[in-house]
Amino acid sequence: MISEERLDETFAALANSTRRAILSRLALGAANVNELAEPFDLSLPAISKHIKVLERAGLVSKGHQAQYRPCSLEAAPLEQVAVWAEQYRPVWEARLDRMNDYIQKLQPEQTRDK
């Protein structure tokens, strides 16, 4: 069972393009705040705020290695989003099938009209 509260936190965290970009970077491997901030024209405190939102959503965890505090991607909440979205697959597949049937019906008519 997927927690509604967890899904809300995950979707809220994913609603921001900077946070999604941070997750994309972390999909390549762990990185510290400075490394995560490099591609953005944002201050380190602003990047830290985004990371905190991702941590609260369970999407990022921080390690501790001496002076180095690497952030890592936690994929479990993303899997929950995928499971949640999967329940709607039959709906959009049925709609695509109906659209495909409609297009197939139109093609012979268009060929005859030419």
Side-chain angles (χ1 to χ4, degrees), residues 2-104:
I2 300 170
S3 160
E4 289 294 320
E5 187 175 326
R6 173 59 79 180
L7 267 178
D8 289 348
E9 288 175 341
T10 304
F11 279 119
L14 295 173
N16 181 278
S17 63
T18 300
R19 291 193 287 266
R20 290 192 305 274
I22 290 170
L23 291 179
S24 293
R25 167 57 187 87
L26 291 174
L28 302 174
N32 64 28
V33 175
N34 288 331
E35 293 166 334
L36 292 172
E38 281 178 15
F40 303 104
D41 189 23
L42 296 172
S43 66
L44 288 178
I47 293 296
S48 292
K49 274 186 170 181
H50 284 297
I51 292 170
K52 283 185 177 144
V53 171
L54 292 168
E55 280 184 280
R56 280 196 300 270
L59 291 161
V60 167
S61 63
K62 276 190 179 172
H64 192 81
Q65 300 170 350
Q67 301 292 328
Y68 187 65
R69 302 222 39 193
C71 297
S72 300
L73 176 67
E74 298 293 335
L78 296 174
E79 183 180 357
Q80 291 176 342
V81 168
V83 168
W84 177 84
E86 185 66 24
Q87 69 183 320
Y88 297 102
R89 177 184 291 273
V91 173
W92 58 264
E93 282 184 342
R95 289 181 182 174
L96 289 174
D97 287 345
R98 285 196 309 263
M99 185 174 71
N100 188 45
D101 291 345
Y102 182 70
I103 290 170
Q104 294 296 323

